[in-house]
Amino acid sequence: MIAEAGLAALWLATGFALVQVMLAWGAAKGALQGTGAAVMTALRRVAVVQGMLALAAFGLLIALFVLSDMSVELVVENSHSMKPLIYKIAGAWGNHEGSMLLWVTVLATAGAGVALFEKRLATATLAATLGAQAAIAIGFYAFLAFASNPFVRVSPAPLDGRGMNPLLQDPGLAFHPPTLYLGYVGLSVAFSFAVGALLMRDVGPAFARAMRPWVLAAWIFLTIGITAGSYWAYYELGWGGWWFWDPVENASLMPWLAATALLHSVTVLATRDGLRAWTVMLAVVAFSMSMIGTFLVRSGILVSVHAFAVDPTRGGFILALLGLYIGGALALFGARIGTVKQGATFELVSREGALVLNNLLLSVILGVVFIGTLYPLVAQAAGVQLSIGAPFFEKAAVPVGLALVAATAAGPLLKWRRDQWKTLFGKLLVPVGVGVIAFVLVFALGGAHWMPSLALGLAAMLAVASVIPLFRRNLRRTPLHIYGMVVAHLGIAVSIAGMAADGAFKVERLAAISVEQSVTVGPYRVELLEVRPAVGPNWSALEAHLKATRGDDAPIDLFPQQRFFANPPTNTNEAAIATLLDGQLYTVIGQGDGAGRWQIRAWWKPFVTLIWAGGFLIALGGLLSLVGRVRRERRDAESDA
Amino acid sequence: MKRLLIWAPLALFALVFALVAGGLIKPADRKIHSAMVGKPVPALAMKPLLATKPGIDSAALKGKPRLLNVFASWCIPCIAEAPQLLKLKQAGVEIDAIAIRDTPEAVQAFLARNGDPYARIGDDPTGKAQIALGSSGVPETFLIDDQGRIIDQHIGDIRADDIPAILAKLEAAK
C-alpha cells in the first residue's frame, strides 16, 4: 500500500504542477490588469499543496526503507534488513531513483516556500516565478514516472535485500546528499525568479531584493554540502586527499561558483540597481549548472569515482529536459534582455567595480572547471581518449583563485559608486604588510614551494583585511549582514590557509612493517602494536593498533581498519585519523605480505582541518547575512504597511 | 555586436548540448587497443613456465593461424574464459599463452581446475612481453595469421557468442 500511495502522491503532485502553470498564467495576466487576486491566492495554495505531495511521496519512500519492504525493487537493490536504522533511512536517497525523488521534492518544497513567504515581489512577477518553478517540476516528475520510478514492486518478493554499497554506509551519507541537493535545487528558485522577471520585464532592485535570501539559503546549503562531502571523501576513501577534481565534485563546484558570483552581483542590483542583465544571466547559469551537474552524474557519461551506472535512456531524458529548460531560459534572455534598460553606472574604482572583478574571476574559474570537466567529451568526439585531472585544474584555476583572494581583500574596503586608488592603498597597507611577512616566513624560513607560500601570504592578508570593515564601527549597531560578509571572507582566508599548509607541508610515508616496528612521519613515530580481528553490526575487519608518539606528549592510539562487508561482498578501508591542534595524523592499513609485515600508509597533514573549518565559517557567514537580510526585509515590510 | 552578445549564451549552450548528445549517443570506447594490430608479433623469447610445455619464441608462431592468450592464474575473468578456450581447442585451434606474473605451481593448479587448452606457455614474470604486445590487462587474446602477423585483439574474456567470429577470422587468415 505504501508504495502505491507514494506513486499516487507523485502523480497528484504532477497534476497540481500542471494546474499551477495554468493558474500562474491567469494570475500574471490578471495582475497586469489589476485584477486576479483570487487567482493569485489559488496559485499560492496549489504551489503549497504540490510541495506537500512531493514531500509525502518522499516520506513514504523512507517508510518503505525503514520497514524493509522487500517487495519494492528499490529497497531490494539498495537495502538489507540487517542494516542499522540510520542507514536504512539514508538508503532511501543513496541510489538513483531515491535521490531523484529527493531532487524533485526539494524543487517542489522550494516552490511552496516561495508561495508561502514571498510578500514583497510584484504580483505578476511572483506568479510567473511560481509558474516557471512548476514547469521545471513537471519535467522532473515525468522523468521519475517514466524513467526512474522509485516505487516499482517485485514479485515474488525476495527474502532479503542486496545491501548497500558499504562506502555509503557512513553518517556522511545521511547529511551530504540532502544538504547538497537543498543547495543544488534551491538554486531553481533563482532560475524561476529570473525567468519570471524576464517574462514580466521586471528586472530591478525589488526583484533582486526578493531573490537574494533564496540565493543565500541555497548557497549556504551548497557550501555545507561541498565542505562535508570533501571531508567525507577525505576520511572514507582512504587516499588522504580532500579534493580530486572528479567530474562529480566539479558538478557541485560549478553551481557554487556561479551562485557565489550571483550572490555578489545581486547585491549590486539590489543596492545600486546596476548589473541587471548580468545578474539575470547568472541566476539562469547557476541552476543550469545544477541541472548539467545532475545530468553528468546521472547519465554516467563521464568516468568518475562516483561510479553511477551508465544509462543512455535516463541520460537522454535529462538531456532533453536540459535542452528545454536551459535552452528556453537562454532564448527568453535573448528575446527580452534587450528591452531591459541599462541600470545605474559606476566608476572602475568602487565597490561595484570590485564586485564586477569578483564576478569576472569567478566566471573564469567556472569556465576552467567547465572546460576541464567536459573536455574529455570533446576529445572523445574527435576519437581521442583522455582524462583531465588535478594538474590541469590546479595550473589553470589556482592562479585565478589567488587573484580572487586578493580582490576579496580589497573589495569590502571600497565605497559604493566611486573611490580613490590612494584611499584603497592606505587601507590595504596593514593587510599587505602582514601578507608579505607571512609569505617571507613560509617561503624563506619554512622552505615551502613559492605557490603555497604565496597562497598562505594572501590568506594572511585576506584574514586581516576581512575584519577591517568592522573597524571604527559601533559593533552593536553594525548590521548583521556586515558580520556575515566578514565571517564568510575570513572563512575563505582560513580555508585557503588550510589548503596551502596541506599542499606545502604534508608528509606521506608508505612502509611495510611488522608488529613492534615503527615508521616516522612528520613529527610522529608510529609503532605497529598489533593486528587483530574486529567485528561490527554487518562487517568484520582486520584492525591495526598503532601508537603514535611525538616527543614527550602522551601517545595517541589509532585503529585503522580494513573492513569486509558480506552484503554485498566488498572491502573498504577505514582510515584512523587523529586530529590535533596543528594538524591531522592520517593512517591506513593495507595488505599484509603473509610473512607478518603489513602495509602502513601514514600522512602528517599540518593544519589541514582549516580547510573544512573555513568552509563552515563561510556557510556561517552566509547564515548571518541571511538572518540579517530577512529581518531587515521584514522590518521594511512592516514600515511599508 | 550587442545583439550577438545577447545570443552568445544560447549558442554556447547549443554547442555543449550537441557535444553531450553526441557523447550520449556514441558512448566512449574505454578499451585500450594495441598499436601492434596489423604488425608482426614483436620479438619475444620466453622461457617455458611448465616443464611439460614449450615456451614462446615469436619465430615459432608461424605456419598456421593461432591464438595467443594473455592470462594469469590470479585472474578471475580468465576462469570464466577457460571453457570457451577449451571449445576453440576442440575446434582445432592452436592456442598459445603468456602467463603474466605467475608461478608454475599456481598455473599448474589453475589448469588442473579449469582445463588446459594451451600448446605453449611462455613465462612473463615482469610483464615485459605483455607490454611489447600492447596488452593492458588479462585476459586478452591476440589472433595471429600464418605469417606471424597480429590480425586482431580480443580485449576481456572470450564469451560463448564470440567463438564463431573468432573461428571465421582464423579461417580467413589461412
Side-chain angles (χ1 to χ4, degrees):
Chain A
M1 256 326 273
I2 300 179
E4 285 69 29
L7 196 56
L10 267 185
W11 278 106
L12 275 175
T14 317
F16 273 88
L18 281 166
V19 174
Q20 192 176 329
V21 173
M22 290 186 273
L23 285 176
W25 188 73
K29 228 175 150 190
L32 290 181
Q33 293 154 0
T35 57
V39 187
M40 192 63 212
T41 312
L43 171 61
R44 282 184 193 261
R45 287 184 185 159
V46 164
V48 172
V49 173
Q50 194 227 123
M52 278 161 48
L53 282 167
L55 214 53
F58 187 60
L60 290 168
L61 184 70
I62 293 178
L64 289 173
F65 272 82
V66 169
L67 298 173
S68 292
D69 184 341
M70 292 304 163
S71 71
V72 175
E73 193 174 353
L74 197 66
V75 183
V76 175
E77 298 285 338
N78 296 289
S79 194
H80 193 277
S81 60
M82 300 260 290
K83 230 166 44 165
L85 181 66
I86 175 172
Y87 300 124
K88 283 186 184 167
I89 297 173
W93 56 79
N95 58 74
H96 168 79
E97 288 84 353
S99 80
M100 285 315 295
L101 179 55
L102 174 60
W103 206 97
V104 179
T105 304
V106 175
L107 187 72
T109 321
V114 173
L116 274 177
F117 300 116
E118 192 51 58
K119 300 278 194 295
R120 303 246 294 158
L121 196 59
T123 314
T125 313
L126 178 58
T129 300
L130 289 173
Q133 189 80 3
I136 302 171
I138 291 170
F140 284 90
Y141 284 132
F143 176 68
L144 276 179
F146 299 119
S148 304
N149 182 356
F151 295 109
V152 177
R153 295 259 192 203
V154 276
S155 177
L159 285 175
D160 212 330
R162 299 206 189 134
M164 178 171 59
N165 181 347
L167 281 177
L168 300 180
Q169 186 166 317
D170 183 276
L173 176 68
F175 306 106
H176 170 60
T179 38
L180 208 51
Y181 273 27
L182 280 170
Y184 250 30
V185 188
L187 288 174
S188 64
V189 175
F191 182 92
S192 295
F193 266 110
V195 170
L198 281 173
L199 281 172
M200 295 299 136
R201 298 188 170 88
D202 178 27
V203 182
F207 146 77
R209 272 198 296 273
M211 179 165 83
R212 180 161 55 190
W214 298 98
V215 178
L216 249 176
W219 178 85
I220 293 166
F221 282 117
L222 204 49
T223 308
I224 296 174
I226 293 174
T227 307
S230 158
Y231 193 70
W232 185 21
Y234 168 78
Y235 76 75
E236 184 68 24
L237 293 180
W239 302 347
W242 49 270
W243 193 265
F244 304 99
W245 297 105
D246 177 84
V248 170
E249 290 176 333
N250 294 347
S252 70
L253 184 62
M254 289 190 282
W256 186 85
L257 289 166
T260 310
L262 175 59
L263 210 56
H264 291 84
S265 82
V266 84
T267 301
V268 177
L269 183 54
T271 321
R272 304 292 323 161
D273 195 13
L275 303 181
R276 288 177 168 181
W278 177 247
T279 302
V280 168
M281 176 46 68
L282 274 179
V284 170
V285 165
F287 183 59
S288 298
M289 286 298 161
S290 296
M291 287 197 281
I292 290 175
T294 305
F295 165 76
L296 291 180
V297 173
R298 291 293 147 204
S299 66
I301 198 167
L302 295 168
V303 185
S304 155
V305 293
H306 297 66
F308 299 112
V310 181
D311 194 323
T313 322
R314 285 174 182 167
F317 205 122
I318 305 184
L319 188 60
L321 293 179
L322 290 197
L324 192 65
Y325 296 135
I326 305 179
L330 291 176
L332 181 67
F333 178 85
R336 280 288 160 84
I337 204 67
T339 66
V340 172
K341 287 200 196 75
Q342 196 189 358
T345 54
F346 44 83
E347 300 279 312
L348 180 66
V349 185
S350 65
R351 179 75 69 84
E352 292 95 319
L355 288 169
V356 168
L357 183 63
N358 146 300
N359 268 235
L360 285 177
L361 293 173
L362 278 167
S363 305
V364 171
I365 300 176
L366 175 61
V368 165
V369 178
F370 189 73
I371 290 170
T373 308
L374 287 181
Y375 194 75
L377 281 176
V378 180
Q380 184 188 317
V384 184
Q385 275 186 71
L386 54 79
S387 69
I388 290 188
F392 164 79
F393 290 106
E394 279 165 14
K395 273 209 188 81
V398 170
V400 191
L402 292 182
L404 183 57
V405 172
T408 310
L413 306 180
L414 287 163
K415 288 201 201 80
W416 290 102
R417 281 181 68 196
R418 64 184 309 174
D419 207 332
Q420 304 293 326
W421 282 112
K422 243 171 63 188
T423 1
L424 176 64
F425 290 144
K427 286 177 181 165
L428 274 176
L429 216 54
V430 176
V432 169
V434 172
V436 168
I437 293 169
F439 172 77
V440 169
L441 280 178
V442 179
F443 183 65
L445 304 178
H449 192 257
W450 68 270
M451 188 70 125
S453 310
L454 182 63
L456 273 169
L458 284 169
M461 168 179 151
L462 176 57
V464 176
S466 65
V467 293
I468 291 182
L470 292 180
F471 262 23
R472 297 197 193 138
R473 271 190 104 117
N474 182 338
L475 290 183
R476 294 187 55 186
R477 291 183 61 93
T478 303
L480 207 49
H481 69 260
I482 301 283
Y483 281 107
M485 176 186 76
V486 167
V487 171
H489 286 177
L490 187 64
I492 290 176
V494 169
S495 197
I496 299 276
M499 296 173 197
D502 183 52
F505 300 116
K506 76 164 168 246
V507 191
E508 177 180 356
R509 281 295 304 274
L510 172 63
I513 54 175
S514 41
V515 169
E516 287 180 2
Q517 284 185 322
S518 63
V519 49
T520 314
V521 54
Y524 280 93
R525 206 174 65 89
V526 179
E527 188 185 358
L528 177 61
L529 294 183
E530 187 186 8
V531 178
R532 62 191 177 205
V535 285
N538 54 352
W539 47 265
S540 58
L542 267 179
E543 183 179 84
H545 182 182
L546 302 171
K547 192 176 83 175
T549 42
R550 164 156 79 171
D552 299 328
D553 297 355
I556 307 164
D557 290 301
L558 292 146
F559 302 94
Q561 293 177 336
Q562 244 192 26
R563 278 190 196 167
F564 176 75
F565 287 79
N567 290 307
T570 320
N571 282 309
T572 68
N573 247 315
E574 293 292 311
I577 304 171
T579 304
L580 300 127
L581 271 181
D582 59 344
Q584 283 189 328
L585 182 63
Y586 186 114
T587 57
V588 175
I589 176 176
Q591 302 292 330
D593 68 351
R597 295 203 307 166
W598 299 88
Q599 274 181 16
I600 300 291
R601 201 182 263 269
W603 285 267
W604 168 243
K605 295 170 143 302
F607 300 105
V608 70
T609 33
L610 292 184
I611 297 174
W612 305 289
F616 287 117
L617 269 182
I618 297 171
L620 175 67
L623 186 65
L624 289 176
S625 183
L626 178 64
V627 173
R629 296 285 187 202
V630 169
R631 277 200 344 213
R632 176 173 278 205
E633 287 288 306
R634 192 163 292 168
R635 213 172 50 224
D636 290 356
E638 274 162 21
S639 65
D640 280 2
Chain B
M1 178 61 208
K2 202 180 167 201
R3 286 211 68 78
L4 272 179
L5 210 61
I6 284 173
W7 292 100
L10 185 62
L12 201 66
F13 173 69
L15 205 70
V16 171
F17 186 90
L19 179 72
V20 172
L24 206 61
I25 292 161
K26 193 174 137 279
D29 178 8
R30 281 162 193 156
K31 287 177 179 166
I32 299 166
H33 296 278
S34 170
M36 298 303 290
V37 174
K39 295 183 185 162
V41 175
L44 301 170
M46 279 173 281
K47 286 189 200 125
L49 181 79
L50 303 176
T52 51
K53 287 179 197 286
I56 299 252
D57 178 358
S58 41
L61 301 180
K62 276 181 191 163
K64 64 172 179 179
R66 70 189 72 224
L67 296 178
L68 182 59
N69 182 234
V70 181
F71 86 110
S73 67
W74 42 261
C75 139
I76 305 292
C78 297
I79 299 173
E81 182 183 56
Q84 278 69 255
L85 291 180
L86 287 172
K87 274 188 208 135
L88 284 162
K89 187 196 174 196
Q90 273 166 12
V93 179
E94 179 175 326
I95 306 175
D96 300 323
I98 299 178
I100 308 297
R101 299 173 199 271
D102 227 322
T103 62
E105 299 77 33
V107 168
Q108 198 88 58
F110 177 87
L111 297 179
R113 213 174 321 118
N114 303 303
D116 179 2
Y118 301 127
R120 301 180 167 92
I121 301 181
D123 182 14
D124 186 15
T126 57
K128 265 192 188 149
Q130 187 185 21
I131 292 171
L133 277 168
S135 152
S136 58
V138 280
E140 280 188 20
T141 307
F142 291 86
L143 281 69
I144 298 170
D145 71 1
D146 54 355
Q147 304 296 309
R149 268 198 316 264
I150 298 174
I151 52 172
D152 205 357
Q153 175 196 25
H154 184 98
I155 296 172
D157 56 319
I158 295 175
R159 307 272 165 91
D161 45 356
D162 295 327
I163 291 180
I166 290 175
L167 286 175
K169 276 182 197 157
L170 289 174
E171 189 58 35
K174 266 185 186 162

